[in-house]
């Protein structure tokens, strides 16, 4: 005879399927980013390879835990449900920590960004990956340099404006630091504000995702706890908090005629 409420099983199954999808997305994202970095020659830039590996492991562990939880609920296995509960508690705690840290760092992002990107100047002497990425950003967003065109000792073609953009007033004429001191028309806009907008956008996503997943994990903890209670005490009703006013309780509990 089934000891766990069938509706509770269905809700918990949906919950586990959702987190399976989250784990799968984390795995695909980690693999895709690693593939992209290998193509661009940016392997292990600022420890990104390690972070992607951690993301991959987190995705795998998430799928394992949710599979264990779904199996425990379906088979009404106490050990599987308790193990799933313990790991869900740990995951909820980690997601809360991640969200809180992102919330603390968020107001300081611009200052940290300035310090970090200042170390990359002059861009000509940075790594190949940084130079290629900067030139891609310049071409895509029509900007030049991180803080100024002077970030380049030799201004690349990705900074050069077209004739139409010159007429629109988006450019400035500067001297290139070559032996011929030739003049170039380059973008007036710098790239640092655009880069910071993207970084802040990603941090906002981290904040929302972290706290959302933490709340959902808390829901999973409650569901697991109720199911474990039903397995250990099958003849005892699950304690629920009643919000009915006293008068309604009297009517609700009135003996049948």
């Amino acid at each position: 005879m089934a000891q766990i409420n069938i509706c509770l099983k269905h809700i918990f199954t949906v919950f586990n399927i959702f987190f399976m999808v989250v784990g799968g997305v984390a795995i695909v994202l980690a693999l895709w980013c690693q593939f992209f970095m290998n193509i661009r020659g940016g392997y292990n830039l600022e420890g990104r390879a390690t972070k992607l590996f951690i993301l991959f492991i987190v995705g795998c562990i998430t799928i394992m835990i949710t599979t264990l939880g779904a199996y425990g609920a379906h088979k009404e296995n106490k050990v599987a449900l308790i193990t799933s509960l313990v790991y869900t508690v740990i995951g909820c705690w980690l997601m809360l920590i991640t969200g809180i840290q992102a919330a603390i760092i968020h107001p300081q992002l611009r200052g940290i960004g300035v310090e970090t990107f200042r170390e990359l100047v002059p861009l000509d002497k940075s790594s190949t990956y940084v130079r290629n990425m900067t030139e891609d950003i310049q071409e895509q967003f029509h900007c030049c340099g991180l803080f100024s065109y002077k970030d380049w000792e030799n201004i690349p073609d990705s900074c050069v404006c077209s004739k139409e953009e010159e007429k629109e007033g988006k450019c400035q004429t500067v001297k290139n630091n070559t032996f011929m001191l030739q003049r170039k028309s380059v973008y007036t806009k710098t790239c640092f504000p655009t880069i910071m907008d993207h970084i802040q956008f990603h941090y906002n996503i981290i904040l929302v995702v972290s706290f959302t997943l933490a709340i959902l994990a808390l829901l999973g903890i409650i569901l697991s706890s109720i199911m474990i209670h039903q397995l250990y005490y099958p003849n005892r009703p699950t304690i629920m908090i009643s919000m009915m006013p006293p008068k309604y309780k009297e009517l609700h509990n009135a003996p049948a005629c």
Side-chain angles (χ1 to χ4, degrees):
M1 181 178 175
Q3 294 176 298
I4 299 177
N5 183 280
I6 189 66
C7 292
L8 201 59
K9 277 187 180 183
H10 291 329
I11 295 172
F12 192 67
T13 300
V14 172
F15 166 84
N16 280 285
I17 290 173
F18 173 78
F19 270 92
M20 281 182 189
V21 173
V22 171
V25 169
I27 292 172
V28 172
L29 184 63
L31 293 175
W32 184 85
C33 290
Q34 184 62 57
F35 176 74
F36 178 76
M37 283 175 56
N38 289 341
I39 291 177
R40 301 302 303 272
Y43 184 79
N44 207 30
L45 179 68
E46 297 179 359
R48 287 186 185 178
T50 303
K51 294 175 183 177
L52 291 176
F53 178 73
I54 293 173
L55 180 62
F56 177 82
I57 295 299
V58 168
C60 293
I61 293 174
T62 301
I63 291 177
M64 291 172 61
I65 293 171
T66 51
T67 303
L68 186 65
Y71 170 81
H74 180 69
K75 296 293 186 180
E76 299 190 357
N77 187 294
K78 297 176 185 177
V79 175
L81 280 174
I82 292 173
T83 305
S84 174
L85 173 62
V86 170
Y87 282 110
T88 303
V89 170
I90 295 172
C92 181
W93 178 67
L94 291 175
M95 284 181 281
L96 281 174
I97 289 177
T98 302
I100 292 170
Q101 286 180 338
I104 293 172
I105 294 174
H106 193 273
Q108 309 168 17
L109 274 178
R110 188 161 293 273
I112 295 172
V114 169
E115 293 179 7
T116 302
F117 288 111
R118 286 287 183 193
E119 296 176 358
L120 302 176
V121 177
L123 293 169
D124 306 74
K125 297 180 180 178
S126 296
S127 65
T128 303
Y129 178 79
V130 171
R131 291 198 305 272
N132 291 340
M133 184 62 70
T134 304
E135 291 205 46
D136 286 346
I137 292 172
Q138 291 176 163
E139 290 179 359
Q140 183 176 355
F141 297 102
H142 296 182
C143 54
C144 185
L146 295 173
F147 305 98
S148 166
Y149 71 90
K150 295 180 181 178
D151 294 340
W152 294 99
E153 293 180 349
N154 185 22
I155 300 173
D157 292 337
S158 57
C159 278
V160 178
C161 296
S162 63
K163 296 295 182 182
E164 291 77 11
E165 289 169 322
E166 288 181 15
K167 293 177 182 178
E168 294 173 3
K170 298 180 180 179
C171 311
Q172 57 182 333
T173 303
V174 300
K175 290 182 179 180
N176 194 16
N177 294 329
T178 59
F179 67 96
M180 297 180 66
L181 294 177
Q182 64 188 69
R183 302 178 72 85
K184 285 187 175 183
S185 180
V186 301
Y187 296 114
T188 303
K189 186 176 74 172
T190 57
C191 299
F192 178 74
T194 302
I195 294 172
M196 285 308 305
D197 287 343
H198 280 73
I199 292 175
Q200 288 177 332
F201 174 73
H202 289 131
Y203 261 83
N204 290 337
I205 291 176
I206 291 173
L207 275 170
V208 173
V209 170
S210 297
F211 285 116
T212 301
L213 292 180
I215 292 171
L216 290 174
L218 183 59
L219 174 62
I221 292 169
I222 294 172
L223 293 174
S224 298
S225 301
I226 294 173
M227 287 190 294
I228 292 169
H229 176 272
Q230 291 181 351
L231 286 175
Y232 274 99
Y233 307 101
N235 298 320
R236 184 186 301 179
T238 305
I239 299 173
M240 302 298 292
I241 299 176
S242 176
M243 300 300 292
M244 293 188 296
K247 294 294 181 182
Y248 182 78
K249 285 182 181 179
E250 291 176 8
L251 294 174
H252 182 73
N253 297 322
C257 295

